[in-house]
Amino acid sequence: EIMTFVTWLVLVANQNGHPLPVITSGWTAQPTVNPPCQTNGVDCGVWVIANIAAVLSGFTVTGIQEYDVSSVRQSLLKVLAALPVVT
């Protein structure tokens, strides 16, 4: 469920010194863009993460276009690769 993921992201950010004043209960999922910006079936996760990042940054939608997805994917990979490994 997307709200479980969003809640987890907010909690991790708060625990790591990046406080997010986000209420993580009582939300409902609504489309942010109509018609959809994605025309393929493989970039769903990138779009979801981009939209979550936009909302957590105070925007209502992401500003990326479909041609930006490859660059966003590479940026996400760099961020994830830089995270410490917890054992």
Side-chain angles (χ1 to χ4, degrees):
E1 178 178 313
I2 191 66
M3 283 314 303
T4 302
F5 180 62
V6 171
T7 300
W8 178 80
L9 288 174
V10 171
L11 291 174
V12 168
N14 289 338
Q15 291 169 356
N16 287 286
H18 305 285
L20 295 173
V22 177
I23 298 169
T24 58
S25 63
W27 287 22
T28 58
Q30 301 290 329
T32 58
V33 179
N34 197 7
C37 296
Q38 177 187 344
T39 60
N40 65 36
V42 298
D43 293 327
C44 307
V46 176
W47 284 102
V48 168
I49 292 171
N51 275 286
I52 290 170
V55 169
L56 293 177
S57 297
F59 300 98
T60 55
V61 295
T62 179
I64 69 168
Q65 301 291 319
E66 191 164 21
Y67 59 80
D68 297 318
V69 171
S70 180
S71 296
V72 173
R73 186 185 308 277
Q74 291 300 314
S75 295
L76 288 170
L77 178 61
K78 288 179 185 176
V79 169
L80 292 173
L83 292 175
V85 177
V86 178
T87 57

